[in-house]
Amino acid sequence: MEAFDLLMTGFDTLLTPTRIGFMMLGIILGLLVGVLPGVGGTTGVAILLPVTVFFEPVSALVMLAGIYWGSMYGGLITSILFGVPGNPWSVAVMFDGRPLAKQGKAGLAMSTGFWVSFFGAIIASVLFTFFAVPFAEMALRFGPPEMFAVLMIAFGTFIGMGGSPGKALIMIAAGFLLSTVGLDVVTGQPRLTFGTIELMRGFHFVPITIGLFGIGEVLANAAERYKVQIEDVTRAAKLGMHDITAGARAVFSNIGLASSSAVLGFITGILPGAGATPASFMAYGFAQKISKHPEKFGKGAIEGVIAPEAANNAAGTGAILPMLVLGIPGSPTAAILMAGVFMWGFIPGPRLFTEQPEFVWSFIASLYLANIAALLICLTATPLLAMMLRTPYAIMAPLIVVLSLIGAYAIQNAFLDVWLAVIFGVIGFILRRMDYPLAPLIVALVLGFSTEEALRQSLIMSDGSMAIFFQRPLSAPIMVVALLLFMLPLFRMFLRRYRRRQQASTGE
């Protein structure tokens, strides 16, 4: 009850016209930023952080948080409509959201995404409110071995995705190889840079993602004469109350998957360095593993929209928790918000809850109000956003390419990223033709640095012994689950062979 009383105090502090106005402004800016490929909420928060020095702390924090929440919702729009992820955590929803749009169900996909994003965020907000300190203390116990084991689960869930496990392993290996370009995570020595200064900072995954999924999608559509398909999609995309209510029903009918994905996302979010992106991939893989029809994933399964969206919004909320309670940001955006907390004269940590309760609990209250406002704005704007589909594809395709290249350049203000987007657009087109899954490559590229860091730190702790992953009480069960996931395709193969032999013997 104490937490509930403090939450009510937070609402009293937040509910002023000025602070609500700043929050709404942040949500609208975040929605616009989220739609732009490669920009995202982190960039938006970073750009506007210096401006907030002129605002009072509560208004400044809720506006920056509003940008973050708005971008979480906005990122799925371009992922579904054009196959171009507005944010890194919107990649996973694209795997099934984009096929749904091609089938004339763009309205259903977007409204479902908005509803489940709201659901996941509210679940995470409730967990944040009542279990902040216990969850943060649990996350603090995770060392490098535990982080490596968790990351192995992320890879294990994708081994059989989209085709043969062999192809998935090849793509994971390619992603790991790309993630090693730059400076060595331990020694700081350049590797695979070939004497090029530009390569010393490594390959950022957003330009590669934009190339593989954005430009690669445009090339694939051009090869398949996609103009006819767009006209079909336009005729089928009738947005209105029917789509909004259908999206709500889809979430309600998959309430168990949405709830488990939200909890998974929240727990992943509070782990330092994890955040929304791996949470969305893990939830997508988890949904595919437990589905009665895993073959439908990647072809327009509504569960493929529900799981990653519930997880990434919950993870975005969870990433703030260790920042406020322990001063350990769970994501890059949380790190920027923490810089703002310092800039406004506060010190994140347990004492912040006792010394500045109005500041802390008004922010927690904003988690609820901001997500309600973001949902209403998105549902209201959905018909306007769907009008983008009515633009002739001959005009839309170059526009998508231009926006993709602008987004690629905006990440690091480097023309190398533009070339990466173009090159991997061609590579993505070729891989599509050869029926190679693109998601495992992106997963390995996104998580490669964190995986290598956790592995090498663990080996340093154990003097090179791999047994450390099975000797610690937290990492051992997680690693066992990860190994079982990796071996699951082998079990399935042996099971199929056994059934064939049984059928053959029965036929004889």
Side-chain angles (χ1 to χ4, degrees):
M1 290 299 295
E2 180 183 0
F4 181 79
D5 293 337
L6 290 169
L7 181 62
M8 292 300 101
T9 302
F11 277 111
D12 290 337
T13 305
L14 178 64
L15 291 175
T16 66
T18 301
R19 290 167 179 168
I20 294 297
F22 275 114
M23 185 186 73
M24 296 296 292
L25 175 62
I27 292 169
I28 295 171
L29 289 174
L31 182 60
L32 296 175
V33 165
V35 170
L36 296 176
V39 180
T42 303
T43 304
V45 172
I47 291 173
L48 291 177
L49 178 62
V51 179
T52 61
V53 72
F54 302 105
F55 305 158
E56 58 95 12
V58 174
S59 297
L61 183 60
V62 297
M63 189 187 79
L64 292 179
I67 295 173
Y68 189 29
W69 308 138
S71 69
M72 297 290 286
Y73 285 79
L76 70 89
I77 295 170
T78 50
S79 291
I80 291 173
L81 292 183
F82 305 116
V84 180
N87 291 298
W89 51 78
S90 301
V91 173
V93 73
M94 180 175 57
F95 300 151
D96 284 278
R98 181 60 181 152
L100 282 169
K102 289 183 177 182
Q103 298 167 18
K105 300 177 181 178
L108 173 63
M110 285 194 293
S111 62
T112 301
F114 294 145
W115 277 114
V116 80
S117 295
F118 171 75
F119 178 81
I122 293 300
I123 291 292
S125 299
V126 172
L127 293 173
F128 195 119
T129 303
F130 294 99
F131 300 103
V133 175
F135 269 86
E137 290 177 348
M138 182 187 71
L140 194 62
R141 296 171 58 191
F142 271 57
E146 288 76 20
M147 283 301 303
F148 180 76
V150 170
L151 291 167
M152 284 297 100
I153 287 182
F155 295 118
T157 56
F158 280 87
I159 285 299
M161 194 187 78
S164 69
K167 288 183 177 180
L169 281 172
I170 290 173
M171 299 304 285
I172 288 176
F176 273 132
L177 180 63
L178 292 171
S179 71
T180 59
V181 175
L183 299 179
D184 187 281
V185 65
V186 174
T187 66
Q189 293 294 317
R191 58 185 182 185
L192 299 178
T193 59
F194 306 101
T196 305
I197 296 177
E198 287 80 3
L199 292 179
M200 291 183 68
R201 60 180 154 191
F203 292 143
H204 199 287
F205 66 89
V206 172
I208 294 177
T209 301
I210 288 174
L212 288 174
F213 292 101
I215 298 176
E217 174 86 1
V218 170
L219 294 176
N221 293 338
E224 297 169 4
R225 298 183 180 181
Y226 188 62
K227 182 171 66 174
V228 176
Q229 298 178 29
I230 275 291
E231 292 172 354
D232 294 339
V233 170
T234 302
R235 286 194 295 267
K238 297 178 181 178
L239 299 179
M241 284 303 299
H242 171 73
D243 292 293
I244 294 173
T245 55
R249 286 196 300 269
V251 175
F252 183 77
S253 62
N254 291 276
I255 196 71
L257 175 62
S259 301
S260 58
S261 297
V263 174
L264 172 64
F266 182 77
I267 294 174
T268 305
I270 64 177
L271 300 177
T277 304
S280 63
F281 284 123
M282 291 171 65
Y284 185 90
F286 172 74
Q288 187 183 26
K289 292 291 184 184
I290 66 172
S291 174
K292 296 179 180 178
H293 302 284
E295 71 281 356
K296 293 184 179 181
F297 278 71
K299 300 176 183 178
I302 197 65
E303 295 88 347
V305 175
I306 290 173
E309 278 303 303
N312 69 40
N313 278 264
T317 303
I320 307 296
L321 190 151
M323 182 272 286
L324 282 180
V325 177
L326 301 171
I328 302 174
S331 69
T333 308
I336 298 172
L337 289 175
M338 187 172 72
V341 174
F342 279 114
M343 187 175 69
W344 302 319
F346 304 133
I347 300 177
R351 293 179 61 185
L352 188 64
F353 281 73
T354 57
E355 296 177 355
Q356 299 291 337
E358 291 186 354
F359 176 79
V360 172
W361 288 98
S362 61
F363 170 72
I364 296 175
S366 75
L367 300 179
Y368 296 89
L369 289 183
N371 279 285
I372 293 173
L375 173 66
L376 294 177
I377 292 172
C378 288
L379 292 178
T380 304
T382 296
L384 299 176
L385 295 168
M387 291 177 62
M388 299 167 68
L389 282 172
R390 300 188 179 98
T391 305
Y393 195 68
I395 297 174
M396 190 58 66
L399 182 61
I400 294 173
V401 172
V402 170
L403 289 176
S404 297
L405 296 180
I406 291 174
Y409 179 79
I411 298 299
Q412 301 179 107
N413 295 328
F415 279 104
L416 174 63
D417 291 336
V418 176
W419 284 109
L420 283 175
V422 173
I423 292 170
F424 277 92
V426 176
I427 293 174
F429 171 72
I430 296 172
L431 290 174
R432 277 183 173 86
R433 290 286 184 174
M434 298 174 65
D435 198 28
Y436 273 79
L438 301 180
L441 186 151
I442 296 299
V443 173
L445 178 61
V446 171
L447 304 181
F449 182 87
S450 301
T451 304
E452 182 188 3
E453 182 181 44
L455 174 62
R456 295 179 69 175
Q457 288 177 347
S458 300
L459 294 178
I460 291 172
M461 292 169 58
S462 64
D463 293 327
S465 174
M466 296 291 290
I468 188 174
F469 299 111
F470 302 95
Q471 292 173 342
R472 293 164 67 101
L474 288 178
S475 63
I478 300 174
M479 184 59 77
V480 169
V481 172
L483 291 176
L484 290 175
L485 288 172
F486 273 102
M487 298 174 66
L488 190 58
L490 292 176
F491 293 149
R492 289 177 175 172
M493 182 183 67
F494 288 129
L495 182 61
R496 284 195 298 267
R497 289 183 178 179
Y498 174 77
R499 287 176 177 174
R500 288 173 187 169
R501 290 176 181 175
Q502 290 292 102
Q503 291 173 358
S505 62
T506 303
E508 293 176 356

